Amino acid sequence: MSSALAAGIYIAVSGAMASHAQAADLTLCWAAWDPANALVELSKDFESKTGNKMHYEFVPWPNFADRMLNELNSSGKLCDLMIGDSQWIGGAAENGQYIKLNDFFDKQGIKMDDFIPATVVGYAEWPKNTPNYWAMPAFADVVGWTYRKDWFSRPELQAEFKKKYNRDLAVPKTWDELTDIAQFFQGRVIDGKKIYGAAIYTERGSEGITMGAMNALYSYGFQYQNPKKPYDLEGFVNSAGAVAGLEEYKKLYDCCTPPGHSDAYMTEDVDAYKSGQVALQMNFTFTWPGINADANVGGDKTGYFLNPAGPNGAQFAQLGGQGISVVAASDKQAEALAYIKWFGQPEIQQKWWKLGGYSALKAVVDDPSFPTSQPYAKPFLDSMAIVEDFWAEPSYASLLQASQKRFHDYVVANQGSAKDALDGLVKDWKAVFEDDGKY
């Protein structure tokens, strides 16, 4: 498409948005993090094109779910637009808290086939794998890993590692290899400073340890339910592979985390990595632009890789990210829909990526220039091809509380065995689904 033609279409779309919606003050609700700051900058274009004024309610991650779910459950008027977590979509749809977007998408020519498939299933659909849409994919995210590329490249460390493990010190292909690398660096002195193996998720209060442990569990054979029988959990949640995966996660925690890393999530892992404490860091890919730009560990000092495979070659990663929805209680739904239409335009999504947002639009990520646009672009894209997500059931919060307790008690508090933890989780989840009438 020529630049002149693209500009003409853009002006026409902008004019249509302005004519079909009166100028208004809109409030967008999301988490308080770097991508939200990028969205504020991006949205200045929407304000100038439509005359609408954007306001924002950004809540720190530890309080984000409680604050925003309370807002939705009380039919509050604060939020016109909500960028809500993927796990909320079932409850928000069934409780009438988001408006259904199918008719709007059809009228505006917005096609879900134009987005990364995993983000459509994860952020937009309810019921899953049906063409019922309650959000547009807004921020693609997935758990991945950063590593100290500069340390890995040191000849003396390469030689020592090769002698000990009979392979090169390189990006791990499996969880066993990752644990070997973490053990190799644990307690080592580099440049006069004692360092440790890996910063991983262990946080108990919200979702942290679940978002971390699932990366090992998925790759070792965990399944949420019998693929042929919904809500049939026995032998899938607590399969032998799932037990081995949880044991592997505990092994990594026990051997190779920094002192006091018993309640760590996104911020704590970033801090450990940026301060030079660890060789490896587990974290959502939204952290990668900030790491790349960091004065201490950025540039050529850091490399990026996707979650490694389990012993049988299975390779999955925990989906993060969010979709953007129109809140049903809003009195400004027309203007909010205009924002969604604006946000979904390819040229806006390109700007979103350049500002540090993670676009889910195929026109952006399938562009031939995308894999080389940033050093972390290809690992991000490859990671999005192997994602799995936590339950998006309306009772997801109860399901999550159970996994948080079971995983933390075993991995961090050293209570019982991995099989005990997963057998207990089956019991907990069955009770939730019984209360929901699923049995």
Side-chain angles (χ1 to χ4, degrees):
M1 184 185 293
S2 72
S3 59
L5 178 58
I9 292 174
Y10 181 66
I11 291 170
V13 169
S14 301
M17 288 190 299
S19 64
H20 287 107
Q22 297 297 316
D25 286 353
L26 290 174
T27 298
L28 185 152
C29 296
W30 199 13
W33 57 337
D34 288 346
N37 299 327
L39 188 63
V40 172
E41 182 63 28
L42 181 73
S43 298
K44 292 177 181 178
D45 178 89
F46 173 76
E47 292 179 313
S48 67
K49 295 295 190 299
T50 65
N52 294 313
K53 176 65 177 176
M54 295 299 298
H55 302 272
Y56 306 93
E57 183 72 17
F58 296 149
V59 180
W61 274 113
N63 310 111
F64 176 55
D66 284 346
R67 175 69 179 87
M68 291 306 158
L69 291 176
N70 284 337
E71 185 68 22
L72 291 175
N73 291 335
S74 65
S75 298
K77 298 288 188 179
L78 172 64
C79 309
D80 302 297
L81 292 152
M82 177 81 75
I83 302 184
D85 257 351
S86 58
Q87 296 97 326
W88 305 0
I89 199 77
E94 292 195 7
N95 296 324
Q97 295 163 344
Y98 292 162
I99 69 167
K100 192 173 183 180
L101 296 174
N102 287 58
D103 290 345
F104 173 73
F105 286 165
D106 290 344
K107 183 178 180 180
Q108 300 298 333
I110 298 171
K111 298 177 181 178
M112 290 295 98
D113 288 345
D114 291 339
F115 293 86
I116 299 171
T119 67
V120 176
V121 176
Y123 311 154
E125 290 181 354
W126 188 261
K128 296 300 181 185
N129 301 305
T130 70
N132 295 281
Y133 306 119
W134 307 87
M136 184 174 75
F139 189 88
D141 204 2
V142 56
V143 172
W145 294 82
T146 58
Y147 72 102
R148 287 300 298 266
K149 191 176 180 181
D150 54 338
W151 294 352
F152 277 46
S153 66
R154 295 192 178 193
E156 69 276 14
L157 295 182
Q158 289 180 337
E160 182 182 344
F161 188 88
K162 184 70 172 281
K163 182 178 180 181
K164 183 173 183 178
Y165 294 102
N166 197 32
R167 68 174 188 272
D168 292 334
L169 177 57
V171 168
K173 296 178 181 178
T174 67
W175 268 86
D176 283 342
E177 290 183 3
L178 185 149
T179 302
D180 286 345
I181 292 170
Q183 288 179 316
F184 178 76
F185 280 102
Q186 183 75 1
R188 183 175 294 274
V189 176
I190 294 181
D191 297 334
K193 181 178 179 179
K194 186 176 182 179
I195 61 100
Y196 303 92
I200 64 174
Y201 291 166
T202 59
E203 181 261 359
R204 169 69 176 85
S206 63
E207 64 176 17
I209 196 166
T210 300
M211 296 295 102
M214 292 313 303
N215 294 280
L217 287 162
Y218 292 140
S219 297
Y220 274 74
F222 170 96
Q223 290 179 281
Y224 282 102
Q225 58 190 339
N226 183 343
K228 298 179 181 179
K229 186 179 179 183
Y231 310 109
D232 179 19
L233 311 180
E234 190 69 45
F236 297 91
V237 170
N238 56 348
S239 66
V243 169
L246 190 55
E247 289 173 342
E248 185 70 22
Y249 198 74
K250 179 173 175 54
K251 180 181 178 182
L252 185 60
Y253 171 74
D254 287 342
C255 78
C256 307
T257 52
H261 206 72
S262 61
D263 193 32
Y265 197 16
M266 296 176 280
T267 299
E268 291 78 13
D269 280 15
V270 167
D271 290 346
Y273 189 80
K274 284 186 176 181
S275 63
Q277 293 184 56
V278 293
L280 301 166
Q281 180 213 187
M282 161 188 280
N283 223 322
F284 285 110
T285 57
F286 85 86
T287 63
W288 290 0
I291 289 167
N292 186 56
D294 187 78
N296 295 321
V297 300
D300 292 338
K301 292 181 180 179
T302 287
Y304 311 86
F305 64 94
L306 57 164
N307 194 56
N312 297 320
Q315 188 173 19
F316 300 99
Q318 175 63 51
L319 180 69
Q322 301 87 32
I324 183 168
S325 301
V326 175
V327 177
S330 169
D331 296 326
K332 304 166 188 174
Q333 292 183 8
E335 294 84 359
L337 289 168
Y339 184 92
I340 288 181
K341 180 171 177 61
W342 164 84
F343 183 69
Q345 295 173 89
E347 58 269 37
I348 299 302
Q349 288 291 299
Q350 286 282 4
K351 292 178 182 178
W352 182 220
W353 168 246
K354 291 178 181 178
L355 285 171
Y358 279 80
S359 177
L361 192 67
K362 289 181 181 178
V364 176
V365 300
D366 288 349
D367 188 289
S369 66
F370 183 84
T372 58
S373 62
Q374 295 289 353
Y376 47 81
K378 190 175 188 307
F380 158 72
L381 192 57
D382 291 343
S383 294
M384 289 303 301
I386 62 168
V387 293
E388 292 283 348
D389 199 13
F390 190 76
W391 292 107
E393 292 282 332
S395 295
Y396 98 92
S398 297
L399 301 167
L400 183 60
Q401 288 171 358
S403 62
Q404 283 289 103
K405 182 181 188 306
R406 295 292 183 180
F407 292 161
H408 198 273
D409 283 353
Y410 168 66
V411 173
V412 176
N414 204 31
Q415 296 178 16
S417 67
K419 189 172 189 312
D420 292 336
L422 293 174
D423 286 348
L425 189 57
V426 168
K427 180 180 178 181
D428 296 340
W429 283 358
K430 280 185 175 180
V432 172
F433 290 133
E434 285 172 357
D435 289 343
D436 288 348
K438 302 296 186 182
Y439 296 119

